[in-house]
Amino acid sequence: MDIEVAKVVLLGEAGVGKTCLIKQFTENKFDNTELSSLSAQYVSKTIDYLDTKKAIKFDIWDTVGQERFRSIAKIFYKDARVILFVYDITSKKTFDALINFWYEELRNNLTENPIYAVVGNKNDLYMNQQVDTSDAKDLAKNLGGIFQLTSAKTNEGIKNLFDNIGKKLLKPNYKYDENDNIARENYNKKKEKENNTKIRIKKYDNKKNNKNKATQDDKNKKNGCC
Ligand code: GTP
């Protein structure tokens, strides 16, 4: 049987369940204690895709979500073939951070296109859901990637996630999947436009503030003040 190796990197905010997801995938265990990962951790698991007579050895890097460790993640995701963007379905800010921080960060640092998966974890807590599933599906679609709801607690969705990643990896010439690339390029263009608008608004506000300040300074001078 042919074995392919694929480097997988998990990214996302602290506490979304990255370490637990990987523990469940590799050891079938769920640990309820909140142990913030202190540095990136590495584990590996091989899955046979019997219908294709191929196997994939997933080399998985679990990074730390805490802000002060974010720059370390760059070392790990640079040459990743698969990026898992993990958010917590009960926390809107963890989803927003994928769009506003993590994807921006990758877009500016990657040269190769990896396979993306948007992973909504803690789905066992669906009664406290804060993130609209359709928004997360849209993000995955925009990245030409996979969407999966998971629970590291109940093991929901994790096998399915890696099965779907495997299918994409084993597709001949997966790197050049036209539709995925077109979706991502369009999304990047849209983001670029949004960012430029933000910069223009900021410049305009700064100009306005400077003008107001100058007018106030003139008034103060006239009044013999300051
Ligand atoms: P950092 O290492 O700080 O980046 O956090 P992390 O994303 O690795 O989160 P971790 O796996 O440490 O999980 C954080 C907390 O969420 C722990 O208390 C877990 O028990 C809990 N947790 C993780 N996954 C799930 C889940 O699927 N369901 C529920 N209910 N709790 C979960």
Side-chain angles (χ1 to χ4, degrees):
M1 184 168 304
D2 284 350
I3 298 189
E4 273 204 40
V5 178
K7 179 175 177 180
V8 181
V9 176
L10 283 91
L11 297 173
E13 297 297 277
V16 295
K18 299 180 294 297
T19 307
C20 289
L21 270 175
I22 290 317
K23 210 171 175 107
Q24 184 62 266
F25 178 57
T26 53
E27 297 175 37
N28 291 315
K29 274 188 201 154
F30 176 68
D31 194 349
N32 207 18
T33 49
E34 187 135 0
L35 277 178
S36 182
S37 325
L38 290 176
S39 60
Q41 301 176 56
Y42 164 82
V43 276
S44 94
K45 175 159 172 155
T46 303
I47 296 191
D48 297 339
Y49 293 85
L50 295 173
D51 47 336
T52 60
K53 295 199 174 72
K54 284 192 175 162
I56 298 179
K57 178 172 171 270
F58 290 101
D59 284 347
I60 305 168
W61 288 89
D62 168 23
T63 65
V64 193
Q66 280 180 49
E67 215 157 325
R68 64 202 160 108
F69 292 115
R70 277 176 174 178
S71 56
I72 300 174
K74 201 177 290 176
I75 303 167
F76 300 99
Y77 67 65
K78 275 233 148 174
D79 56 347
R81 283 178 76 187
V82 182
I83 301 280
L84 302 190
F85 278 143
V86 187
Y87 70 94
D88 170 351
I89 65 145
T90 71
S91 163
K92 175 87 167 58
K93 78 174 172 47
T94 66
F95 178 69
D96 291 344
L98 294 185
I99 299 175
N100 298 328
F101 176 75
W102 290 106
Y103 184 59
E104 281 298 301
E105 163 92 6
L106 261 74
R107 210 160 64 86
N108 294 319
N109 288 305
L110 289 182
T111 43
E112 289 282 347
N113 269 334
I115 290 174
Y116 289 102
V118 176
V119 182
N121 190 40
K122 305 197 187 179
N123 201 36
D124 54 291
L125 302 177
Y126 61 90
M127 55 300 223
N128 301 325
Q129 181 168 6
Q130 258 190 28
V131 180
D132 206 328
T133 303
S134 63
D135 289 344
K137 279 186 180 165
D138 278 352
L139 175 62
K141 206 168 151 198
N142 284 331
L143 301 182
I146 292 164
F147 170 72
Q148 183 68 53
L149 288 170
T150 58
S151 167
K153 188 172 183 179
T154 65
N155 203 4
E156 175 196 345
I158 301 175
K159 183 179 176 305
N160 213 25
L161 171 66
F162 280 88
D163 279 351
N164 287 333
I165 291 170
K167 275 184 205 151
K168 267 198 183 266
L169 282 170
L170 293 174
K171 231 165 129 179
N173 296 330
Y174 81 92
K175 269 188 187 168
Y176 307 105
D177 192 320
E178 271 306 306
N179 292 333
D180 288 358
N181 285 346
I182 291 169
R184 200 176 304 124
E185 272 164 26
N186 286 339
Y187 184 59
N188 286 347
K189 274 186 204 151
K190 194 175 142 222
K191 290 214 95 190
E192 213 57 62
K193 223 170 162 180
E194 280 169 8
N195 287 348
N196 286 340
T197 310
K198 271 187 209 154
I199 292 169
R200 270 207 303 277
I201 291 173
K202 215 170 165 184
K203 272 190 184 159
Y204 175 76
D205 283 348
N206 283 346
K207 237 179 176 171
K208 214 163 85 184
N209 288 341
N210 287 342
K211 215 169 163 185
N212 286 344
K213 193 174 173 294
T215 321
Q216 189 58 44
D217 286 349
D218 281 352
K219 270 187 194 165
N220 290 340
K221 261 186 209 156
K222 260 189 202 160
N223 296 335
C225 161
C226 322

